[in-house]
Amino acid sequence: MAAAVTAAGLGLRVAVLDAGDRPGGQFYRHPAPGLGADRPEALHHGWAEFATREAALRAHASAGRITYLPLHHVWTVVPGEDGWTLHAVAGHAPDERAATVSARAVLIATGAHERQLPFPGWTLPGVVGAGGAQAMLKGGLVLPGKRVVVAGSGPLLLAVAGSLAAAGAAVPAVVEAASYTAYAGRVPTLLRNPGKLVEAASYGGALARHHVRLLTRHAVTEAHGTGRIEAVTVARLDRDWRPLPGTARRIPCDALAVGHGLVPQLELATGLGCATRPSPDGTVALEVDAEQRTSVPGIWSAGETGGIGGARLALTEGELAAYSVAAALRPAADAPRGGRPERLARRRARLRAFADAMAAAHRPGEGWTGWLRDDAVVCRCEEVPAGRIREAAEDLGARDARTVKLLTRAGMGWCQGRMCGPAVAALAGAEPAADRRPFSCPVPLGHLAELPATDR
């Protein structure tokens, strides 16, 4: 959204293909109109800045400078003689239709999805992603339960716990696997980002007001229940995230919101051949230059695709990318104005340094697989337990996730490894690798049959 508004202001004609039904993405998720929410802004951080950009987006759309296309799921981008053709599935089933858009330049801002590290009982009803719990609250105005444990690793946990508690849920504990002492060596970076420190203090204050206990260097190692989650086992971890014997305790709950950070969603970019790089949090991100250009000419990237960094960094990168695209497409007419790109670049560098510090502090330790019994399900879609994956790696010679997939079916289900991929790679002893797949979302066969021969 930031890129579109900036590019339109620089004189470019812009098309926004949005997988959602309205602007805002996952971060600024709106309650359904029928719910009658009086103050949706109360559930969001930085709502005023979003509202300003959304108003600008709609003003540009009314003037014909932006074509806004909601419910358009882009599944591939194809190079052509004069630019690119984007193929999308538009609308909802059963009325979805094929859509194509031609463009001279493409900005990929596909965001990220949650990283889940499995544990015994994580398939029980009542266990949801941390971001999923927040989405339920923002989009549906509902809580995942009355007594919700929030667990995993990363700053998202604090925001989720604060939101759930403010909405009326009892949150007995935030269970953070990392230790905040990991930030001690990054003091200069922290001090250059006072806004982030204020934000962290506000989350801490919210937890204190609602009497939420913060347990650092702890993890949920098992969920218990019959028809639904009834309690979790929490254990203290060593520096490598191995559970320490004798430290386990049970916490009763009727819901668990758990997540270990985010994973950049790169299928569109890697399908084009864009280069990637390892991130400090153990994920893989796109490699971009100082102007958000990828390694493929004509393709830019902004936001979490270039590494997890949060909304402020995403907005900055989107605006910076728009200036770069304008300079590439109309260098004489749309030269950078007033040093704005330079200021954006400095802000981006400052925020990216903070994001890298945060990512390193919350990177999962190698010992987390110690809480996985052999009978614990790792691949939910195909119901593949940890023991079968260990057998493939230790006895059958599998050394990467792809070979494990062929031997066990782990990752062959509906989500295509998005949920279990990091865990399968860890159990196989492989380094994380970027997703590479021909389609970034499900596509009806009829849409493929209708493609021109040059795009097949």
Side-chain angles (χ1 to χ4, degrees):
M1 185 168 60
V5 169
T6 303
L10 292 171
L12 299 184
R13 291 181 58 199
V14 181
V16 178
L17 287 84
D18 192 340
D21 59 356
R22 60 187 299 181
Q26 297 295 333
F27 191 79
Y28 293 108
R29 182 185 287 266
H30 302 261
L35 296 175
D38 294 328
R39 294 186 305 112
E41 67 274 9
L43 299 172
H44 296 83
H45 177 75
W47 180 268
E49 188 171 12
F50 160 72
T52 299
R53 280 193 167 88
E54 184 187 30
L57 177 71
R58 298 200 182 281
H60 283 302
S62 297
R65 291 182 289 269
I66 291 179
T67 301
Y68 180 67
L69 302 171
L71 293 176
H72 277 61
H73 298 258
V74 178
W75 56 268
T76 194
V77 181
V78 181
E81 293 183 3
D82 299 319
W84 307 90
T85 300
L86 293 81
H87 293 279
V89 177
H92 287 305
D95 300 321
E96 57 193 11
R97 64 189 186 282
T100 59
V101 172
S102 298
R104 293 173 60 197
V106 176
L107 171 67
I108 293 176
T110 44
H113 57 84
E114 285 195 87
R115 172 166 55 187
Q116 295 292 339
L117 304 183
F119 50 87
W122 76 306
T123 59
L124 279 171
V127 180
V128 300
Q134 198 169 45
M136 291 171 66
L137 181 57
K138 289 180 177 180
L141 303 183
V142 295
L143 296 168
K146 295 180 179 179
R147 183 177 172 86
V148 188
V149 171
V150 179
S153 187
L156 177 62
L157 303 185
L158 303 180
V160 170
S163 297
L164 294 176
V171 182
V174 173
V175 185
E176 165 63 66
S179 172
Y180 288 107
T181 58
Y183 287 94
R186 305 294 186 104
V187 172
T189 298
L190 301 182
L191 294 178
R192 287 197 297 270
N193 290 273
K196 292 291 186 181
L197 298 179
V198 171
E199 186 178 342
S202 69
Y203 292 144
L207 298 187
R209 286 194 303 275
H210 294 287
H211 308 288
V212 178
R213 187 178 182 187
L214 176 61
L215 299 174
T216 59
R217 198 165 285 171
H218 282 73
V220 169
T221 57
E222 188 169 1
H224 310 277
T226 51
R228 181 183 175 87
I229 185 172
E230 299 168 4
V232 294
T233 292
V234 173
R236 184 165 179 80
L237 306 179
D238 66 13
R239 292 183 179 275
D240 293 323
W241 287 33
R242 293 182 180 85
L244 294 173
T247 64
R249 73 180 90 168
R250 279 204 183 200
I251 300 178
C253 62
D254 63 356
L256 169 66
V258 60
H260 294 82
L262 302 172
V263 179
Q265 195 157 315
L266 305 181
E267 296 95 335
L268 279 179
T270 55
L272 287 165
C274 296
T276 61
R277 63 175 180 85
S279 295
D281 58 2
T283 63
V284 176
L286 291 183
E287 189 176 278
V288 297
D289 68 7
E291 296 185 7
Q292 301 301 131
R293 291 178 293 218
T294 71
S295 63
V296 176
I299 303 293
W300 281 256
S301 166
E304 312 291 47
T305 47
I308 307 304
R312 173 67 61 177
L313 178 57
L315 293 171
T316 301
E317 290 184 343
E319 193 173 344
L320 183 61
Y323 276 101
S324 179
V325 173
L329 298 186
R330 301 176 62 183
D334 293 304
R337 304 173 184 177
R340 177 68 175 170
E342 289 78 7
R343 292 194 295 273
L344 288 168
R346 289 194 295 271
R347 184 193 302 166
R348 193 268 306 269
R350 173 172 54 81
L351 292 170
R352 176 57 66 190
F354 182 89
D356 287 347
M358 182 175 63
H362 295 279
R363 178 184 180 124
E366 294 181 356
W368 72 265
T369 54
W371 66 57
L372 268 181
R373 298 194 307 262
D374 280 348
D375 62 346
V377 171
V378 173
C379 174
R380 300 167 62 129
C381 300
E382 296 292 325
E383 299 182 350
V384 181
R388 196 181 306 167
I389 297 172
R390 288 184 173 121
E391 178 187 21
E394 297 169 7
D395 299 336
L396 302 180
R399 291 294 178 266
D400 57 72
R402 182 179 182 276
T403 306
V404 170
K405 180 178 181 178
L406 295 174
L407 293 172
T408 69
R409 295 191 60 83
M412 282 192 178
W414 179 254
C415 82
Q416 286 291 288
R418 288 175 176 85
M419 290 287 287
C420 68
V424 172
L427 289 169
E431 291 296 322
D435 279 337
R436 297 185 183 278
R437 60 189 80 225
F439 308 141
S440 65
C441 68
V443 185
L445 289 176
H447 292 194
L448 301 180
E450 293 169 2
L451 288 177
T454 54
D455 288 352
R456 292 180 185 175

